[in-house]
Amino acid sequence: MSASSEPVKDSDILDRKESASDYTDTEASKYDTSKAAAVWTKVDFFVLPVVTLIYFLSSLDRSNVGNARIAGLQKELKMTDTQYSIALTATLITYTLIDIPSNLVMKAIGPRWMVPTMVILWGITCTLQGVVHNYAGLIVARLFLGLFEGGLLPAISLYLSSFYPRRQLQLRIAIMFSATSMASAFSGLLAAAILNMEGVGNKPGWAWLFILEGLFTVLFGISCYWLLPNTPTSLSFLNKEEKQLVMHALHEDGIISGDEKDETYTKDNFIRTFLTPHVILVMIIGFMNGSTLSGLAYFLPSIVAGLGYSGTKAQLMSVPPFAVSAVLSVITAFFADRFGRRGLNIIFFATIAMIGFSIFYASFVNHVRYGSLFLLVPGTYCIGPPLGTWMANNSAPLIRRATALALLPVMTNLGSILSTWLLGAISPAPRYTSATITLLVFQIAIILCAALNIAWLARENRRKARERAAVGAQGQHSVVGENNDSIWFEYVL
């Protein structure tokens, strides 16, 4: 996520004649709370809509194949269930492989050029899916879709983590991540409308689904060259005093440093990321949540169709559970930021998902099973924001944060590969018995891993507090430039 590398470099984030270290406590004291809130609202107004719409289109263009499937894609291309799972897996393979390599490119050219280019390229690929005539053509298109779209989530996560203090981050990531839920909900509504174009231009309705959604993505990607801010100091709508407030807040929270040089980008810091217990535990959670989330994104229209709904009705009935997810994600993120608790947020939603999967497995009544979707879908989707935020909050310096936030989607994508087979070829509709049992067990494991991570982080904080007291300089040392192993770095639970 080299998108974020630029926001933390001296030459980009800081004015050439001033650095974050120049913002003294005296200067900071003149900013009252109300003014600070107004400044962050300004940042939100110009940063979040662009990022959220990018992620919305990413989710829409990646998962609309599920809507196309029940609209006739699989039948027209003469695909078996196994071949459909292979097509989904193809996307996820390139999606996973490109995460870390794309960071290197992003570091060199920055987010303002890299991200819009990615959007345009995957938009073109999505459009071309509408003109494929056979299974081989679909496979090629899905491979390129994953290639062009793969680095987006880690890039945007670290991009946002370079704009906001740690205690303000989850709400912003939740707003962005709600785009996934809204895309899944909107895709049903949009599909119901676009499929009415069946036969226009001698093309099936599912082809128009890819073509129209892809073309809109291309147009928006072009506009992002002007809409996407590159760094906090490139926000032209902030005056100098407001930029100082932003920079001081980021400096005080250890997000940026006026003297953090590229020597923090070392092999030791890179490797150390893979060995940190909290990173390992979050990665395990990411694998299990990614498997559940992608399974629902790709297969919920098919699951709803198996509950007695068909055609347009099946598309529309997949909308409400995702809409509930988007609302709950933002509401709970507000409280998670306020109290600085990520792990409890994850445990709460994993418990909700566990109950939902239990009902879906135990019941044979279609209306009851449909009702369980209002538990398992929000329970699954609302884990994403606290999970990514937890990883970002507790990884420092920048190279570790960038690596950790790239590793998390690698694990979620590996989980996604599993789900394409669990809900595809392995578990037949409409019961999806093996998949339901597996995903139910995953929710239990997520709860255990989150609890274990909370316990480890709390123990580390207590140890660091004792060591700070022993050196007798508590509160006199800046967290800036420290790695997360430092006694001056306090973990977020």
Side-chain angles (χ1 to χ4, degrees):
M1 259 159 351
S2 312
S4 45
S5 308
E6 284 222 359
V8 293
K9 287 167 64 178
D10 298 344
S11 59
D12 292 327
I13 289 190
L14 304 175
D15 294 330
R16 293 190 180 274
K17 294 183 179 179
E18 56 191 6
S19 70
S21 56
D22 293 328
Y23 303 140
T24 64
D25 291 336
T26 302
E27 288 175 309
S29 65
K30 63 186 178 184
Y31 303 126
D32 58 37
T33 305
S34 61
K35 182 163 186 177
V39 172
W40 291 117
T41 300
K42 273 188 179 183
V43 176
D44 289 340
F45 185 78
F46 284 90
V47 172
L48 287 182
V50 180
V51 169
T52 301
L53 188 51
I54 288 174
Y55 199 56
F56 172 87
L57 294 173
S58 165
S59 302
L60 189 69
D61 294 341
R62 187 173 66 255
S63 60
N64 56 11
V65 67
N67 300 101
R69 182 194 191 192
I70 65 172
L73 167 71
Q74 183 172 347
K75 182 178 179 181
E76 185 158 334
L77 297 187
K78 299 179 176 58
M79 291 189 294
T80 64
D81 287 345
T82 298
Q83 288 176 318
Y84 179 73
S85 292
I86 291 173
L88 298 184
T89 303
T91 309
L92 295 167
I93 290 173
T94 49
Y95 203 95
T96 302
L97 293 176
I98 200 64
D99 275 333
I100 295 178
S102 68
N103 293 350
L104 302 177
V105 179
M106 191 87 75
K107 185 178 187 299
I109 66 178
R112 192 170 190 176
W113 293 104
M114 181 70 172
V115 173
T117 302
M118 291 168 62
V119 176
I120 293 169
L121 291 175
W122 93 58
I124 293 172
T125 306
C126 179
T127 302
L128 292 177
Q129 287 180 107
V131 298
V132 299
H133 298 290
N134 52 49
Y135 173 62
L138 182 64
I139 290 291
V140 172
R142 299 301 294 183
L143 282 168
F144 277 97
L145 186 67
L147 180 68
F148 295 138
E149 197 179 334
L152 183 69
L153 179 57
I156 287 183
S157 296
L158 193 51
Y159 176 74
L160 289 178
S161 74
S162 300
F163 273 75
Y164 295 98
R166 292 192 295 165
R167 290 286 290 270
Q168 297 184 38
L169 184 59
Q170 185 176 328
L171 178 60
R172 276 73 184 187
I173 288 184
I175 291 172
M176 179 203 75
F177 203 83
S178 68
T180 304
S181 304
M182 294 308 297
S184 298
F186 190 68
S187 65
L189 294 171
L190 196 58
I194 294 177
L195 292 178
N196 290 322
M197 295 180 66
E198 179 77 30
V200 175
N202 294 319
K203 292 188 177 297
W206 61 261
W208 284 112
L209 189 66
F210 290 129
I211 292 169
L212 294 182
E213 291 181 3
L215 287 176
F216 181 83
T217 298
V218 172
L219 293 175
F220 183 72
I222 294 172
S223 71
C224 284
Y225 286 118
W226 292 271
L227 294 176
L228 188 70
N230 205 40
T231 67
T233 54
S234 69
L235 299 171
S236 59
F237 53 87
L238 297 181
N239 59 39
K240 182 178 180 180
E241 185 180 59
E242 289 170 334
K243 287 181 181 179
Q244 287 181 342
L245 186 150
V246 171
M247 299 308 295
H248 182 83
L250 296 176
H251 174 74
E252 286 298 298
D253 208 31
I255 305 299
I256 61 153
S257 171
D259 56 3
E260 186 175 359
K261 307 298 183 184
D262 278 347
E263 57 260 24
T264 60
Y265 289 75
T266 63
K267 181 179 179 181
D268 180 67
N269 265 327
F270 177 79
I271 294 175
R272 178 63 182 165
T273 309
F274 294 81
L275 305 177
T276 306
H278 81 82
V279 172
I280 295 171
L281 287 168
V282 171
M283 285 171 60
I284 294 172
I285 295 173
F287 173 84
M288 294 181 288
N289 180 249
S291 181
T292 314
L293 189 150
S294 290
L296 294 174
Y298 286 128
F299 288 94
L300 194 67
S302 299
I303 293 171
V304 172
L307 297 178
Y309 304 99
S310 61
T312 301
K313 187 75 178 289
Q315 305 279 7
L316 295 175
M317 293 300 286
S318 67
V319 172
F322 288 118
V324 171
S325 303
V327 174
L328 278 180
S329 179
V330 174
I331 292 174
T332 54
F334 173 80
F335 291 104
D337 270 350
R338 179 163 186 163
F339 297 105
R341 293 292 183 268
R342 316 299 182 202
L344 292 179
N345 208 185
I346 292 170
I347 290 173
F348 172 76
F349 282 114
T351 303
I352 296 296
M354 179 185 68
I355 295 171
F357 279 111
S358 299
I359 295 173
F360 188 85
Y361 173 75
S363 177
F364 288 84
V365 180
N366 283 345
H367 291 306
V368 174
R369 300 184 83 208
Y370 178 74
S372 71
L373 300 181
F374 286 87
L375 296 175
L376 64 90
V377 173
T380 298
Y381 272 72
C382 292
I383 288 175
L387 193 62
T389 307
W390 215 9
M391 187 73 97
N393 283 171
N394 292 328
S395 301
L398 178 64
I399 181 59
R400 292 194 189 181
R401 189 160 64 248
T403 305
L405 284 174
L407 287 173
L408 181 56
V410 166
M411 293 302 293
T412 60
N413 292 333
L414 291 175
S416 298
I417 293 174
L418 172 63
S419 70
T420 62
W421 293 93
L422 268 179
L423 288 157
I426 295 176
S427 295
R431 293 293 300 172
Y432 298 100
T433 302
S434 298
T436 304
I437 293 173
T438 302
L439 298 179
L440 172 60
V441 172
F442 278 3
Q443 307 318 303
I444 298 172
I446 288 173
I447 293 171
L448 294 176
C449 286
L452 184 59
N453 199 30
I454 291 172
W456 185 83
L457 294 173
R459 189 192 71 175
E460 286 296 291
N461 281 345
R462 290 193 297 270
R463 176 185 63 80
K464 291 180 179 184
R466 290 194 300 269
E467 293 184 17
R468 286 196 301 269
V471 299
Q474 188 170 3
Q476 301 301 313
H477 193 287
S478 173
V479 73
V480 174
E482 299 287 1
N483 62 50
N484 50 265
D485 299 322
S486 168
I487 64 173
W488 307 105
F489 187 99
E490 186 172 358
Y491 288 117
V492 175
L493 305 183

